[in-house]
Structures are given as C-alpha cells and as structure tokens.
Amino acid sequence: MRIRSHSESHVVELEDGSRWQIFPGDLDLTLDWTPETELVVEPVADEISSHVLAAAGAKVRAIPVGESWPVKEAKSILKEG
C-alpha cells in the first residue's frame, strides 16, 4: 500500500485512508519514505505497538492515530536507545 500523506514525521496516512502513529524511536527509519514507498501493515502482539509498517526490509512500530502509547513501556524503550 502506498503513502497518501507523511507531512508530520510521526504520522503517516496510507492510500486506504488509515492513519498511523510511528513510534518515536523508529522515526529515523522513515526518513527515506516517499509517496512511492510500498508499505505493508502487519498486526503484531507487541508490548508497545499493535502493528508494524514494513517497507524495504525495515519495520517500524505503529498504532492507529488517536490511540496512545503505553507510557511506562515507551519510556523504557526510548531510554534504552
């Protein structure tokens, strides 16, 4: 699925209209994304995210826009680097 909009670094909208928040620790993996980038949305059972967005071998953790990151887990992961 292609990107419709990626005007905010932490939010991506796909051509199906779905909007995803990218985990802050994964933002660097999205820097090369363009509207031509093909993404696959995969559900995951993860402590921090409900889905991953996969593109060209890189996977980023994501949640639907409007949901919140679990604060304790997010802080722990970001602190670890």
Side-chain angles (χ1 to χ4, degrees), residues 1-75:
M1 188 167 326
R2 292 185 183 217
I3 296 171
R4 177 183 293 167
S5 173
H6 190 203
S7 58
E8 297 177 66
S9 62
H10 68 288
V11 175
V12 64
E13 181 178 352
L14 302 181
E15 62 188 2
D16 68 355
S18 62
R19 296 181 70 219
W20 300 92
Q21 295 179 84
I22 307 300
F23 184 67
D26 295 342
L27 289 176
D28 62 323
L29 299 173
T30 69
L31 295 176
D32 293 332
W33 287 4
T34 67
E36 292 78 32
T37 301
E38 286 286 336
L39 295 175
V40 176
V41 179
E42 301 173 352
V44 294
D46 186 283
E47 67 181 341
I48 194 75
S49 64
S50 59
H51 291 78
V52 294
L53 303 180
K59 292 185 177 185
V60 299
R61 295 165 280 196
I63 58 175
V65 167
E67 292 188 11
S68 300
W69 299 105
V71 175
K72 183 179 178 183
E73 291 84 351
K75 283 183 178 180

